[in-house]
Amino acid sequence: MTGRLRRLVASLLLAVLVTGCGGESPRSNAWHGGRIFLATGNTTGVYYQLGGGYADLINRHLPGYEARAEPTGASVENINRLANGDMEIAFSLADTAADAITGRGAFDGKPQPVRALARIYSNYTHLIVRTDGKIGTVANLRGKRVSTGSPKSGTDIIAGRLLNAAGLDPDRDVRRLNLSLPETVKQMRAGTLDALFFSGGLPTPGIKDLLTSSPGTFRLLPLDDLLQPLEKGYGSVYTTSTLAANVYNTASDAPTITVANVILVSADMPDDLAYDLTRTLFDHQGELISVHPEAANFNRTSAALSDPIPLHPGASRYYRGS
């Protein structure tokens, strides 16, 4: 059942209850019947954990609204479902959201009417290979079995761009598999995959489970040498950072590619609701930190720096302090 159908059913039930009680429900005048669905990502990823925590904040601190986080294939799927009205809030990588605004990449010729509530933490690109696989660079993935993440995910997009930057055709030069993170981890353990890409916050639960449960079997490859060709093709949306050894108890640090995450809503969301959602995110940030440590990296000043994704006017009003 889609989010749109769920809302229709909920609204019909609400109408029956209101009629039967002879009164007006506190949610009867709320946008979309007071139902807010959040498009997140894989169940073992950071989006899903933070999305669940954000939904809980909305339920407890935003009267008249009921929120629920939904697992998805992540960025591209999230934006598509946001744009078609199936979801009210979506987590996305900033590079994918930029494509949506400009109508390129997965949204070729079809700009999407989405707006940002906040730029939040940065995703770190993980490229994990088997230690015994003799793979030292991205170029060594030629002919290998590689998971590039769920279909229509931000991971799938950045993995394809990294393979191209290394001189490989993602669909011809590697045996590309579009797998969810849980399935990817399962196949890495079984030896039916040689490598995986995943873009996520630190630590990503599924990645931590893989690396800490099989010490020495897998390792992270550095990716920072591919920043220049990425910047040439896609601008400054990508940066580099170090994935520290203590995050997953690996043997050494891994310099890698990072990209910001954004929380998106539709352009037609009422300004007051967008303001309240943004205020709730920061007023109760401490509660969200207890859900996942990446929430500690939310910063009110940098949150407003969502370019090239336009801020929703309601969110912009919050950051201006008015």
Side-chain angles (χ1 to χ4, degrees):
M1 185 183 294
T2 66
R4 182 177 292 172
L5 183 55
R6 278 191 296 266
R7 282 195 299 273
L8 177 59
V9 172
S11 297
L12 290 172
L13 290 173
L14 189 60
V16 170
L17 290 171
V18 170
T19 302
C21 296
E24 185 174 345
S25 163
R27 288 203 305 242
S28 59
N29 295 318
W31 190 61
H32 287 187
R35 303 281 178 166
I36 294 179
F37 290 95
L38 294 84
T40 61
N42 288 279
T43 56
T44 57
V46 178
Y47 280 180
Y48 186 69
Q49 290 194 338
L50 287 176
Y54 193 18
D56 188 50
L57 293 184
I58 294 167
N59 290 332
R60 289 189 286 115
H61 302 295
L62 197 57
Y65 285 92
E66 181 180 331
R68 187 170 76 186
E70 296 282 338
T72 67
S75 297
V76 177
E77 178 185 338
N78 290 356
I79 291 172
N80 283 330
R81 295 181 70 177
L82 181 65
N84 69 27
D86 195 36
M87 296 282 163
E88 283 73 33
I89 296 174
F91 285 75
S92 174
L93 286 170
D95 57 346
T96 307
D99 286 350
I101 289 295
T102 56
R104 67 177 185 179
F107 309 95
D108 190 24
K110 298 179 180 179
Q112 302 297 306
V114 298
R115 300 292 183 265
L117 288 186
R119 172 181 173 173
I120 44 176
Y121 64 97
S122 290
N123 262 20
Y124 286 67
T125 307
H126 303 67
L127 173 53
I128 299 174
V129 300
R130 305 187 67 82
T131 304
D132 60 4
K134 298 181 180 179
I135 300 171
T137 66
V138 176
N140 294 151
L141 292 175
R142 185 181 298 273
K144 302 298 185 182
R145 302 162 297 181
V146 182
S147 173
T148 59
S150 298
K152 299 183 178 181
S153 68
T155 292
D156 193 34
I157 289 174
I158 193 170
R161 290 176 177 178
L162 286 166
L163 289 165
N164 273 320
L168 299 177
D169 184 320
D171 297 312
R172 294 184 180 183
D173 293 334
V174 301
R175 296 166 63 183
R176 185 177 194 173
L177 294 93
N178 286 123
L179 303 173
S180 69
L181 182 55
E183 182 60 26
T184 295
V185 168
K186 179 181 176 181
Q187 292 203 29
M188 286 291 283
R189 284 187 175 132
T192 53
L193 277 177
D194 300 302
L196 75 83
F197 283 94
F198 191 78
S199 179
L202 302 180
T204 292
I207 299 295
K208 184 175 182 179
D209 184 41
L210 176 66
L211 293 177
T212 59
S213 64
S214 304
T217 304
F218 307 102
R219 64 190 180 98
L220 287 153
L221 288 192
L223 293 169
D224 57 318
D225 61 315
L226 296 177
L227 178 63
Q228 187 173 352
L230 283 177
E231 286 184 326
K232 184 176 181 181
Y234 306 101
S236 60
V237 69
Y238 297 109
T239 56
T240 59
S241 189
T242 298
L243 209 167
N246 63 6
V247 174
Y248 299 113
N249 294 321
T250 51
S252 60
D253 295 345
T256 193
I257 301 295
T258 57
V259 60
N261 289 287
V262 288
I263 297 177
L264 303 173
V265 296
S266 63
D268 66 351
M269 175 177 278
D271 288 2
D272 286 347
L273 178 56
Y275 177 92
D276 287 339
L277 287 169
T278 310
R279 175 182 53 78
T280 299
L281 184 68
F282 287 97
D283 281 0
H284 303 283
Q285 185 178 0
E287 297 173 53
L288 205 54
I289 292 170
S290 68
V291 174
H292 194 282
E294 280 290 11
N297 294 316
F298 295 12
N299 179 282
R300 178 171 168 164
T301 300
S302 61
L305 305 177
S306 62
D307 190 68
I309 306 104
L311 275 177
H312 191 287
S316 180
R317 176 160 60 92
Y318 169 79
Y319 296 121
R320 292 196 309 270
S322 58

